[in-house]
Each structure stands twice: as structure tokens, then as C-alpha cells.
Amino acid sequence: MVALALVACVQTPASIFLGPPDDKLTHDLTPLSLPSATVMSTSGGFLEDPQITWTVTPTSVARIDGHDLVPLADGSATVEARCGDAHTSFAFVVSLPDAIGFLEVPAYVELGSPPARVQAVVSADGVALADAPITWTSETPSVATVDAAGQITPLAAGTARISAHSGPLTDTFEVPVHLSQEPDNRVISQIGDDYRVGVPEWRMTLRPDLAVAAPPSTVAVKLVDVTESFDGERKVVQKNVSQLKYCVEMAAKQKPAIAGQMTLRADVAAGRVTVVEVLQDGIGVEELSPCLVSKVKRWAFPPEGSGPVTFSVQVTVPAP
């Protein structure tokens, strides 16, 4: 075979044609098969069993191992096939996942309710990867478990801590597990950039003899100072305003007569919130702003947006 290959290359190769590679872009380090190569001679015929030499530049991004192309690290490389003086090449890009986050983390889950599913998103350079492998774990299995699809099953009252893993990437969120509340008529309504989360009167139903009534409350959430390209992001805010309501509910335990207004500013780039800061705090409950900042920081926005956007969220709690 080697002798035939050497003779074929002596027959003056003129050009090399490559079949389609397995992929010119990869998001993991799994070896890929090199494409098939056809060599034509100066006479116009096909060379049988040509001796092809494969090289990769730079070798820090990928290497050749037999008939495989092995990714090594993030970057762009040129893969070249050569037979005699004939040669051709193609570009090969390794873009490893660099971020993992969550979509629509629930503000809380209730005992006895159906499992709540959370979607994790793995991205590379701001592009969501549809086939990225994700594993789930619960760090508090006595409070809630999570299955392979990200479905959370509450088991006991408390705070569940759930993590998603993809390769070396890990992200974690916490979700409170509450006792059952009836009726659950929470409504999110929208007028322009105003969102209102209303909760009617409810009673604890676990022990009728210990039932406690809570007064109705409404929290107004308003988008202000929004950049022009902020479009699909509005839906993300609408889906997650109940998380801000939860923070207010927890703060009301410290200060039952909670009222006032707080404004937070957030920067979004490549689908992730990069900065959240409190611009104004007219409520004055110590643990409220860290809770609101933590919730907004975990919001996941469409990564295919036109560019960085900035928005402010104004949370208003009316006086009782």
C-alpha cells in the first residue's frame, strides 16, 4: 500500500478535492473523522491510493490522530491536505461552551403541586447550544429532587438548591418550597411596560385550625430607561416579575408595613445579565435589594439579540 501511494504521488498530482468534513465547527473535544480526499493527476485521471499528508495549524487548537481530527482548545485552525505539490485546506473552529444559565426559574414551588420544570441554557460566544449535555443535581434532596429533564419535585418546606452541570460549567439557583396556598389566583397583567402581580386573600390549608389570613397586596413593576433594541427581552421580564414579588413577600416578614419604590439598572450582553445595581431605594428593608439583584442577575435573555441592552426595573409597593 505504501509503495502504491508513493507511485501515485509521483504521477504528478494536480488537484485535491475534499468531501464534506464531519463539522467545520465543534463545541466539544470529541474527535471528528477527516473528510475523504480525491486526487486528480495532470492528465485528468483519478489517482488510486494517493498518499495524503494532513497537517493542522496551529497545533494548539487541534491535531491529527490517524484518520481523526482531534480538537484541543478554543480557536481557529487551518486543516491542510497535501499530495506532492497539490494541496487544499479548510477552516476548522473550536468554540467550547463558556456559560450556563437558566430560563424562567420559578419564584417558588408548593408542596403537592406538579413538578416545576426549569430549562438550562448552555452557550458559546453568546450562541445557545441546542445539543449540549446537561446533568442536574439537588444539593438539598430532603427539600426537593430534580430529574434528568430539570423537573423539580418539592418534598418538604424549605429552600431547595438546584445545580445544572455541562462539562466544567456549573450554575446553581435556589427556590423556596412553600406550604400549599389556596386559591392560587396570582395574575400578571401588562399595560405598556407596566407589570402588576396581584395576589388575592389566601388561607393556609394544611391545618384548618391554624388558618391565617393574609391581606391582598399588589406589587407594580415598571420598565424604565430601556434601550431601543430592547424588544424580545420584554417577554423575559414579564415571565420573571413574580420573582420580584416573592422578594417583596419575604421582605414583608421583616417589615409588615412595607411600602415605597426601588429602582434597579441592569446591563445585558450575549443573553446574560452582566451588571445589576440599585439606583434608588425608597423601601428601606435590608434584605430586599440583595434578593431583587440576585433574581434579576439570573434572568436569561435571547442570546441572538442585536447587541448589549440596558434597562431599569422600578418596583413599587403601595402603602397598605
Side-chain angles (χ1 to χ4, degrees), residues 215-228:
S217 62
T218 300
V219 175
V221 178
K222 181 180 178 63
L223 277 171
V224 295
D225 299 331
V226 178
T227 49
E228 290 186 8

Side-chain angles (χ1 to χ4, degrees), residues 10-305:
V10 169
Q11 295 175 2
T12 317
S15 57
I16 301 178
F17 298 94
L18 299 180
D22 280 0
D23 207 337
K24 293 183 179 180
L25 169 66
T26 185
H27 296 295
D28 59 44
L29 301 181
T30 303
L32 304 171
S33 298
L34 288 167
S36 60
T38 301
V39 180
M40 298 192 68
S41 68
T42 52
S43 62
F46 295 102
L47 299 184
E48 295 184 4
D49 299 324
Q51 182 177 337
I52 306 293
T53 302
W54 293 91
T55 58
V56 179
T57 307
T59 55
S60 59
V61 175
R63 64 182 176 87
I64 303 297
D65 183 10
H67 297 286
D68 291 334
L69 176 60
V70 183
L72 299 176
D74 271 303
S76 298
T78 299
V79 181
E80 183 182 70
R82 179 177 290 273
C83 181
D85 292 331
H87 60 91
T88 189
S89 63
F90 65 90
F92 179 64
V93 177
V94 181
S95 179
L96 299 178
D98 54 18
I100 185 171
F102 304 103
L103 294 178
E104 300 182 37
V105 175
Y108 62 88
V109 293
E110 291 185 351
L111 288 172
S113 62
R117 184 174 185 271
V118 176
Q119 181 180 354
V121 177
V122 178
S123 60
D125 296 328
V127 178
L129 309 179
D131 56 352
I134 297 173
T135 57
W136 294 86
T137 58
S138 171
E139 299 180 24
T140 53
S142 62
V143 177
T145 59
V146 61
D147 65 13
Q151 290 197 123
I152 304 169
T153 301
L155 300 177
T159 300
R161 189 172 174 83
I162 308 296
S163 297
H165 316 269
S166 183
L169 302 174
T170 297
D171 199 3
T172 302
F173 67 88
E174 293 183 348
V175 58
V177 178
H178 290 178
L179 300 176
S180 177
Q181 299 179 10
E182 293 183 357
D184 186 7
N185 296 325
R186 178 170 304 207
V187 176
I188 300 176
S189 58
Q190 179 184 2
I191 303 176
D193 282 335
D194 290 346
Y195 303 89
R196 292 186 178 271
V197 186
V199 181
E201 183 175 350
W202 55 269
R203 287 181 175 270
M204 302 292 290
T205 58
L206 186 64
R207 289 278 303 277
D209 56 318
L210 297 179
V212 178
S217 62
T218 300
V219 175
V221 178
K222 181 180 178 63
L223 277 171
V224 295
D225 299 331
V226 178
T227 49
E228 290 186 8
S229 58
F230 196 87
D231 187 16
E233 290 83 353
R234 283 182 166 81
K235 295 181 180 179
V236 176
V237 176
Q238 182 180 8
K239 291 178 180 178
N240 289 288
V241 288
S242 59
Q243 297 179 16
L244 308 185
K245 168 68 179 177
Y246 165 76
C247 290
V248 175
E249 290 175 347
M250 295 299 101
K253 293 183 178 180
Q254 297 182 50
K255 185 179 178 181
I258 182 174
Q261 188 176 88
M262 181 181 295
T263 304
L264 297 88
R265 186 186 68 84
D267 294 341
V268 180
R272 296 180 64 83
V273 177
T274 56
V275 176
V276 181
E277 61 177 333
V278 178
L279 298 182
Q280 172 253 341
D281 184 358
I283 298 178
V285 179
E286 182 180 356
E287 294 188 2
L288 178 57
S289 58
C291 181
L292 293 173
V293 168
S294 174
K295 297 299 184 185
V296 175
K297 190 69 181 291
R298 293 183 180 277
W299 290 357
F301 291 84
E304 64 275 7

